[in-house]
Amino acid sequence: MPEPLPAVSFENLHKSYGSLQVLKGLSGEIQLGEVVAIIGASGCGKSTLLRCFNRLETIDGGQLYVNGMDLSAPKLTRKQLQRLRAQVGMVFQQFNLFPHMTVLDNLALAPRKVLGRSTQESADTARLYLNKVGLSEKADAFPQQLSGGQKQRVAIARALCMQPDIMLFDEPTSALDPELVGEVLGVMRQLAEDGMTMIIVTHEMQFARDVANRVIFLNQGQIEEEGNAREVITNPQSDRLRAFLSRMHLAGVV
């Protein structure tokens, strides 16, 4: 039996904005079922790399395959993009919920419009994933009636309603008050335990250490260090990573 394809495979990846080179020849693989945390200082290219994985950014050079789809081509058809977005869910720093729609309607919209599901099936799927994030009782609420942590959990449930193969998280707790961070990380921890393939840009180092299988540390658009999450975070080899973790008060944490 042939080996399954990696969830994400990239080789010599480049991305620039004008004269600013953001990604400088990155190469790597992320396997199905892996939880990978991408860490590094602001401006190192973390979010740009993540956004390349669902074609919110196009690459300027190199090869990129996500869930078996070649994203290296300069253009993708609308049908290809729809297929990609159905297979690769993304959760952003901001929640991006429609304020005039109930929580249930926010969740049911994409399965109905993109996947062609019936109104009833879309609503049933929405209730299933609302229950998964612990918010069944908020189905008829509007976004402005929710806390920040609840909004982010709804945003995670909305992405899960497309039943994606891969989930991308772009600093999902950075816009939250500190006391609300735990409830969102708890949902993500459960997804990891369920075997979801997850790629997470985060500054939550303890979460990365405890939940991720691997960590990729980016520095100035290049992979400075990567490996087993607990080993990399508790025993960094690179001077730059040691300095970064010391700023996060996590160097040598066991």
Side-chain angles (χ1 to χ4, degrees):
M1 178 178 282
E3 288 288 317
L5 291 172
V8 178
S9 175
F10 51 101
E11 185 175 351
N12 198 28
L13 209 64
H14 288 266
K15 175 65 183 178
S16 297
Y17 298 106
S19 61
L20 178 62
Q21 200 174 2
V22 180
L23 302 178
K24 305 172 184 176
L26 278 63
S27 297
E29 287 186 348
I30 295 167
Q31 304 301 324
L32 286 170
E34 259 198 309
V35 178
V36 175
I38 303 175
I39 65 173
S42 297
C44 70
K46 307 184 300 293
S47 292
T48 298
L49 178 61
L50 195 75
R51 290 166 66 88
C52 288
F53 292 162
N54 75 341
R55 194 66 179 207
L56 289 176
E57 299 286 357
T58 55
I59 64 173
D60 296 325
Q63 295 292 317
L64 173 60
Y65 290 87
V66 176
N67 216 29
M69 186 181 297
D70 185 359
L71 301 191
S72 313
K75 291 187 178 180
L76 296 181
T77 66
R78 182 187 175 113
K79 188 173 181 179
Q80 287 174 316
L81 279 174
Q82 281 189 333
R83 181 159 65 94
L84 176 69
R85 302 276 160 76
Q87 295 172 352
V88 182
M90 187 156 185
V91 177
F92 300 88
Q93 297 176 33
Q94 303 299 328
F95 323 117
N96 300 325
L97 301 175
F98 293 112
H100 63 289
M101 297 170 64
T102 65
V103 165
L104 188 74
D105 288 341
N106 265 282
L107 268 62
L109 182 64
R112 195 172 69 249
K113 294 288 189 181
V114 178
L115 302 180
R117 303 250 172 92
S118 69
T119 299
Q120 185 61 53
E121 187 180 5
S122 298
D124 289 345
T125 301
R127 291 186 189 281
L128 172 71
Y129 287 107
L130 266 184
N131 183 60
K132 190 173 186 68
V133 301
L135 290 173
S136 298
E137 76 284 1
K138 298 296 184 181
D140 297 321
F142 287 88
Q144 64 266 28
Q145 297 171 303
L146 305 179
S147 70
Q150 289 171 334
K151 288 176 186 175
Q152 193 60 294
R153 285 154 65 194
V154 168
I156 293 172
R158 178 181 56 188
L160 291 173
C161 281
M162 298 294 284
Q163 297 175 314
D165 298 315
I166 302 167
M167 284 284 286
L168 310 178
F169 294 86
D170 189 5
E171 299 194 36
T173 60
S174 66
L176 301 179
D177 292 334
E179 67 270 19
L180 302 177
V181 168
E183 64 187 71
V184 174
L185 295 182
V187 170
M188 294 170 64
R189 187 184 297 267
Q190 185 59 56
L191 289 177
E193 291 173 0
D194 292 345
M196 173 64 75
T197 306
M198 298 166 62
I199 309 170
I200 308 163
V201 168
T202 184
H203 282 105
E204 300 289 340
M205 292 300 110
Q206 292 189 34
F207 175 80
R209 179 198 64 193
D210 295 341
V211 176
N213 304 113
R214 275 196 302 131
V215 160
I216 296 174
F217 171 58
L218 289 189
N219 180 58
Q220 297 180 350
Q222 296 180 306
I223 297 176
E224 178 85 18
E225 189 170 340
E226 67 175 310
N228 174 275
R230 183 167 288 273
E231 290 178 9
V232 168
I233 290 176
T234 58
N235 187 29
Q237 301 301 301
S238 137
D239 289 341
R240 290 188 179 94
L241 180 52
R242 276 195 291 270
F244 172 74
L245 291 173
S246 69
R247 290 197 298 274
M248 308 293 284
H249 308 293
L250 261 174
V253 171
V254 176

